[in-house]
Amino acid sequence: MADIRVPKLNNNDTEYLVVEWLVEDGKPVQAGDPVAVLETSKAADELEAAEPGHLHHVAGLNTWIAPGAVLARITPEAVPEAVPEASTDAQAAAGAVPASAAASDTTPAPADVPATGAPVITDPARALMDALGVTVAQVTALGLPVIRRVDVERLAGSAGAPPATGGHAGADGGDPGQVRAAGGPAPQAGERAGAEGSDGTAGTHPLSRVQRAVARAVTTSHGTIPAAYTVVKFDVGPLLERTRGLSREVRRPVGLAELFVQAVAALHPAFPLFFASIDGDRARPAEAPRIGVTFDMGQGLYVPVVHDTGSLREIADTLMRYRLAATEGDFRERDLTGANIAVTLHTDADVILAIPFVFPGTVCALAITSPQPEVVLGEDGAVTTRTVANIGLAYDHRLINGRDAALFLAALRMELH
């Protein structure tokens, strides 16, 4: 028998909400199968089975559960010999507390019947309500016992919902749910569930699980992070020349992505705040650089994390594995957690400017655009060409100022050359 314990998903929350079981109680699972979805203040995370067997739920749906607590058990048998049902007291001792108990000091009712008759509103849902101007009365009218962030997203995007007021405007002038991540797929978090046709009927296009996660991250970012952006032109011709020799040297494909990941990681000692997270009115520095790198190979936008940045060979190995995983959407949970800065790749031909969103839990995202030829005057006065790319930095203005961003980009250029 093996326990599935809740990992620490971020530094801000002490408990998470069990919002969905992906495998029914007692059903068989294989190692690596996603089994449950937990919602944090930043995102919704899938937890996977570590080994094959039959899954047995320990925590209830719509209950709060702390890091380290047992979420489920995997046994060889369809019916375990003894998996005692957890009482409310036992759940509290294990770190799982019914959502209704979190909302009331009275004896909690079952999780699907809130004691007060009013819905339990999760912290992520309440934060999004504040950002979009959705009222408690509106979410109560949904008739749901627990209001999650996705419910608020659906309400804000539904045809019958009144326009939100007081929300944070997106970069395109719309609300946060309509903002696009530049160079990435459209989040569509706030788009209407169906487009009205000439006959008055509505069609629907379901969003994939990956796209819903992107939507949540983009909405949270634009609603909570006061981001700014600085862009600098880099001469990348010498870098491209170097990649050929480096590829032969490490016997792995080396391109701009590998070189920028290595250079960004090298700046961690001199620019620790660029790798920090914000906790209230304090910055929490990271012990080591953990570089998230964006990949979209047609299966959705993923941001796997390069944890080991000690050598170019290690970085090249990791990114090569991630490119293969991105073609199938086949990432492990640990591949997608722990980033403290992001490098976003927008190197499709002719992309000259990309403004990434700052991923929740980080304060900076670096954008690398497509190399372009540029006509310049040489030192001898003759007309010549060079290869340039616009390298931009999106940053959380609560912690990073424009001068700091310019110094970081200047240091990055020096590190690369």
Side-chain angles (χ1 to χ4, degrees):
M1 182 172 68
D3 290 341
I4 299 178
R5 293 187 178 272
V6 177
K8 186 173 179 61
L9 298 174
N10 62 46
N11 293 324
N12 298 326
D13 300 320
T14 57
E15 57 184 3
Y16 319 119
L17 185 67
V18 183
V19 297
E20 186 177 0
W21 281 105
L22 304 177
V23 177
E24 295 180 15
D25 193 34
K27 295 296 184 180
V29 294
Q30 298 298 320
D33 285 352
V35 298
V37 179
L38 303 188
E39 187 169 67
T40 73
S41 61
K42 299 183 181 300
D45 292 272
E46 292 182 353
L47 298 191
E48 299 177 350
E51 61 182 61
H54 290 78
L55 183 76
H56 304 283
H57 302 175
V58 174
L61 186 64
N62 295 329
T63 60
W64 297 97
I65 188 166
V70 177
L71 176 71
R73 291 188 173 95
I74 297 177
T75 66
E77 311 85 13
V79 179
E81 293 181 1
V83 180
E85 295 184 4
S87 65
T88 301
D89 292 340
Q91 287 179 332
V97 181
S100 55
S104 174
D105 293 332
T106 62
T107 302
D112 58 346
V113 184
T116 62
V120 175
I121 303 175
T122 68
D123 288 341
R126 193 174 294 278
L128 187 56
M129 288 170 59
D130 292 340
L132 299 182
V134 176
T135 66
V136 173
Q138 286 176 288
V139 298
T140 301
L142 295 175
L144 300 174
V146 177
I147 302 298
R148 301 170 295 156
R149 178 165 40 200
V150 67
D151 301 316
V152 179
E153 290 173 354
R154 289 170 181 160
L155 177 64
S158 66
T165 59
H168 180 77
D172 59 356
D175 63 51
Q178 293 173 320
V179 72
R180 287 174 175 261
Q188 300 177 325
E191 292 183 1
R192 297 184 182 277
E196 288 292 327
S198 58
D199 59 353
T201 61
T204 61
H205 178 76
L207 301 183
S208 68
R209 183 176 302 280
V210 172
Q211 196 59 47
R212 293 199 302 270
V214 172
R216 285 190 290 267
V218 173
T219 300
T220 300
S221 176
H222 283 275
T224 62
I225 299 176
Y229 187 70
T230 296
V231 62
V232 173
K233 186 180 293 182
F234 278 37
D235 182 355
V236 296
L239 294 180
L240 295 173
E241 288 294 329
R242 283 177 54 203
T243 60
R244 300 181 179 91
L246 290 171
S247 295
R248 291 192 296 269
E249 182 180 325
V250 302
R251 298 183 179 180
R252 300 289 187 278
V254 173
L256 289 181
E258 286 77 11
L259 294 181
F260 270 91
V261 168
Q262 184 183 46
V264 167
L267 295 183
H268 173 255
F271 295 88
L273 292 184
F274 286 68
F275 301 80
S277 60
I278 293 181
D279 185 2
D281 59 355
R282 295 178 178 272
R284 189 183 298 275
E287 294 182 358
R290 301 286 183 262
I291 317 298
V293 183
T294 60
F295 288 94
D296 189 349
M297 310 294 286
Q299 298 300 317
L301 177 65
Y302 292 91
V303 193
V305 183
V306 181
H307 293 270
D308 299 317
T309 57
S311 72
L312 186 60
R313 185 187 180 98
E314 287 178 316
I315 295 170
D317 270 337
T318 301
L319 293 186
M320 183 168 61
R321 178 166 61 83
Y322 286 164
R323 287 187 186 96
L324 294 174
T327 61
E328 300 292 335
D330 185 23
F331 286 98
R332 301 168 298 183
E333 180 185 348
R334 61 180 175 272
D335 293 337
L336 301 172
T337 57
N340 46 41
I341 194 170
V343 172
T344 65
L345 307 178
H346 310 273
T347 51
D348 291 329
D350 300 328
V351 176
I352 60 173
L353 180 66
I355 304 177
F357 69 92
V358 179
F359 292 86
T362 68
V363 297
C364 289
L366 187 79
I368 304 171
T369 61
S370 174
Q372 305 289 331
E374 180 182 65
V375 177
V376 295
L377 289 177
E379 294 181 358
D380 58 357
V383 176
T384 185
T385 60
R386 65 175 183 170
T387 303
V388 299
N390 291 323
I391 308 301
L393 186 73
Y395 52 93
D396 190 327
H397 222 323
R398 292 174 296 178
L399 186 59
I400 308 297
N401 292 322
R403 180 176 181 274
D404 305 319
L407 290 173
F408 180 89
L409 289 170
L412 180 62
R413 176 188 280 150
M414 292 293 294
E415 184 68 31
L416 287 164
H417 291 287

Short mmCIF file of all heavy atoms in Angstrom, two decimals, residues 15 22 25 70 73 184 187 206 272 281 284 306 315 342 348 380:
data_model
loop_
_atom_site.label_atom_id
_atom_site.label_comp_id
_atom_site.label_asym_id
_atom_site.label_seq_id
_atom_site.Cartn_x
_atom_site.Cartn_y
_atom_site.Cartn_z
N GLU A 15 -2.79 25.39 3.13
CA GLU A 15 -3.71 24.30 2.80
C GLU A 15 -4.28 24.55 1.40
O GLU A 15 -4.27 25.67 0.91
CB GLU A 15 -4.84 24.19 3.84
CG GLU A 15 -5.65 25.46 4.01
CD GLU A 15 -6.68 25.35 5.10
OE1 GLU A 15 -6.72 24.29 5.77
OE2 GLU A 15 -7.46 26.29 5.30
N LEU A 22 -10.05 12.91 -10.37
CA LEU A 22 -9.99 12.50 -11.77
C LEU A 22 -10.15 11.00 -11.95
O LEU A 22 -10.39 10.52 -13.05
CB LEU A 22 -8.65 12.94 -12.38
CG LEU A 22 -8.35 14.45 -12.28
CD1 LEU A 22 -6.98 14.75 -12.84
CD2 LEU A 22 -9.41 15.25 -13.03
N ASP A 25 -13.18 6.47 -6.78
CA ASP A 25 -12.72 5.68 -5.64
C ASP A 25 -12.76 4.19 -5.99
O ASP A 25 -13.77 3.68 -6.49
CB ASP A 25 -13.63 5.96 -4.44
CG ASP A 25 -13.05 5.42 -3.14
OD1 ASP A 25 -11.81 5.43 -3.00
OD2 ASP A 25 -13.82 4.98 -2.28
N VAL A 70 -2.29 12.89 3.87
CA VAL A 70 -2.60 11.81 2.93
C VAL A 70 -3.84 12.18 2.13
O VAL A 70 -4.91 12.39 2.69
CB VAL A 70 -2.81 10.48 3.67
CG1 VAL A 70 -3.21 9.38 2.68
CG2 VAL A 70 -1.55 10.07 4.41
N ARG A 73 -4.82 6.61 -1.10
CA ARG A 73 -3.94 5.45 -0.97
C ARG A 73 -4.09 4.57 -2.21
O ARG A 73 -5.15 4.51 -2.83
CB ARG A 73 -4.29 4.62 0.28
CG ARG A 73 -3.97 5.33 1.58
CD ARG A 73 -4.14 4.40 2.79
NE ARG A 73 -3.68 5.05 4.00
CZ ARG A 73 -4.45 5.70 4.85
NH1 ARG A 73 -5.75 5.79 4.61
NH2 ARG A 73 -3.95 6.27 5.92
N GLY A 184 1.86 33.78 -26.99
CA GLY A 184 1.36 32.49 -26.53
C GLY A 184 -0.07 32.32 -26.96
O GLY A 184 -0.66 33.20 -27.60
N PRO A 187 -5.69 32.88 -23.81
CA PRO A 187 -6.20 32.21 -22.64
C PRO A 187 -7.68 31.91 -22.71
O PRO A 187 -8.12 30.88 -22.27
CB PRO A 187 -5.89 33.20 -21.50
CG PRO A 187 -4.77 34.03 -22.00
CD PRO A 187 -4.99 34.13 -23.48
N PRO A 206 -15.16 23.63 -25.90
CA PRO A 206 -14.59 23.36 -24.58
C PRO A 206 -13.09 23.62 -24.56
O PRO A 206 -12.37 23.27 -25.50
CB PRO A 206 -14.89 21.87 -24.36
CG PRO A 206 -15.04 21.29 -25.73
CD PRO A 206 -15.65 22.40 -26.57
N PRO A 272 19.49 38.96 -6.90
CA PRO A 272 18.64 37.97 -6.21
C PRO A 272 17.16 38.32 -6.22
O PRO A 272 16.31 37.42 -6.22
CB PRO A 272 19.21 37.96 -4.78
CG PRO A 272 19.90 39.29 -4.63
CD PRO A 272 20.46 39.60 -5.99
N ASP A 281 4.33 42.42 2.18
CA ASP A 281 5.19 43.56 1.88
C ASP A 281 6.66 43.19 2.00
O ASP A 281 7.52 44.05 2.19
CB ASP A 281 4.86 44.74 2.81
CG ASP A 281 5.04 44.39 4.29
OD1 ASP A 281 5.32 43.22 4.58
OD2 ASP A 281 4.89 45.29 5.14
N ARG A 284 10.82 37.40 -0.74
CA ARG A 284 11.40 36.15 -0.27
C ARG A 284 12.38 35.65 -1.32
O ARG A 284 11.99 35.07 -2.34
CB ARG A 284 10.30 35.12 -0.03
CG ARG A 284 10.76 33.85 0.68
CD ARG A 284 9.61 32.86 0.79
NE ARG A 284 8.53 33.41 1.58
CZ ARG A 284 8.47 33.34 2.91
NH1 ARG A 284 9.47 32.77 3.58
NH2 ARG A 284 7.44 33.84 3.56
N VAL A 306 13.85 24.25 -15.44
CA VAL A 306 15.23 23.77 -15.45
C VAL A 306 15.77 23.96 -14.03
O VAL A 306 16.05 25.08 -13.61
CB VAL A 306 16.09 24.52 -16.47
CG1 VAL A 306 17.52 23.98 -16.46
CG2 VAL A 306 15.48 24.42 -17.87
N ILE A 315 21.79 21.73 -19.05
CA ILE A 315 20.69 22.54 -19.55
C ILE A 315 20.20 22.02 -20.90
O ILE A 315 18.99 21.89 -21.14
CB ILE A 315 21.13 24.02 -19.67
CG1 ILE A 315 21.42 24.59 -18.28
CG2 ILE A 315 20.08 24.85 -20.38
CD1 ILE A 315 22.10 25.94 -18.31
N ALA A 342 11.07 33.20 -15.37
CA ALA A 342 10.66 32.53 -16.61
C ALA A 342 11.42 33.09 -17.80
O ALA A 342 11.69 34.29 -17.87
CB ALA A 342 9.16 32.67 -16.83
N ASP A 348 9.43 32.08 -33.33
CA ASP A 348 8.85 31.84 -34.65
C ASP A 348 9.25 33.00 -35.57
O ASP A 348 9.43 34.14 -35.13
CB ASP A 348 7.33 31.76 -34.56
CG ASP A 348 6.88 30.50 -33.84
OD1 ASP A 348 7.58 29.50 -33.93
OD2 ASP A 348 5.84 30.55 -33.15
N ASP A 380 34.11 51.05 -40.26
CA ASP A 380 34.80 51.74 -41.35
C ASP A 380 33.87 52.61 -42.18
O ASP A 380 34.25 53.18 -43.21
CB ASP A 380 35.48 50.72 -42.26
CG ASP A 380 34.49 49.71 -42.85
OD1 ASP A 380 33.28 49.78 -42.49
OD2 ASP A 380 34.92 48.86 -43.65
#
